[in-house]
Amino acid sequence: MKIKVIGAIAILLIVIGASCQSDDQIEFKRYYSAGSLVYQQHCQNCHGDKGQGLSSLIPPLTDSTYLKNNKATLACFIKNGLKGKITVAGRSFDDQMQADDIAPLEIAKVLTYVANSFGNKMGTISLQQVQDDLKNCK
């Protein structure tokens, strides 16, 4: 009988411990899951369901180095579009990405999704970060 009680208590403690998450972890999961939906609605047609891009026309979103090096301008690319030659994953792209007039919160969510999908691991892209980055768009 004691073993069953101790076992039940141990299982209860494990379940409680596993379900405890920090506010940052909860925010990340909220942004990531909502970002997946934004990606499907606004980005997937061009960049693909796995972020693979489209041949030599549309760059992939799988290049962590490019994303990290351009982290402060990614929100601007979404909001204002992108024109001109860029190099991603060692390949050149010279097409135009159309602007997408979505709210800064949606930009933060989709960037969190992209920044943590397709082999990328960059953590949460916060609303505050997106708002700050949008102020510095060129």
Side-chain angles (χ1 to χ4, degrees), residues 65-75 77:
T65 303
Y66 183 85
L67 295 178
K68 287 177 186 173
N69 290 342
N70 294 281
K71 186 175 181 180
T73 56
L74 296 175
F77 294 167

Side-chain angles (χ1 to χ4, degrees), residues 37-137:
L37 297 175
V38 175
Y39 182 83
Q40 290 171 20
Q41 294 170 338
H42 295 271
C43 313
Q44 185 170 304
N45 282 345
C46 295
H47 290 285
D49 62 339
K50 295 179 179 69
Q52 72 272 19
L54 182 61
S55 187
S56 62
L57 298 175
I58 298 171
L61 301 174
T62 56
D63 185 354
S64 296
T65 303
Y66 183 85
L67 295 178
K68 287 177 186 173
N69 290 342
N70 294 281
K71 186 175 181 180
T73 56
L74 296 175
C76 298
F77 294 167
I78 293 171
K79 189 74 171 176
N80 302 321
L82 180 62
K83 204 165 151 180
K85 188 175 182 178
I86 62 170
T87 301
V88 179
R91 295 183 1 227
S92 292
F93 297 89
D94 194 10
D95 206 351
Q96 183 174 351
M97 179 176 136
Q98 296 298 315
D100 199 339
D101 191 28
I102 60 175
L105 181 58
E106 287 189 318
I107 293 173
K109 289 176 179 179
V110 76
L111 285 178
T112 296
Y113 175 74
V114 169
N116 294 282
S117 298
F118 321 125
N120 304 311
K121 299 285 183 231
M122 294 171 54
T124 304
I125 309 295
S126 71
L127 173 59
Q128 185 62 54
Q129 181 179 349
V130 166
Q131 289 171 328
D132 291 345
D133 291 346
L134 289 173
K135 288 177 189 172
N136 297 318
C137 290

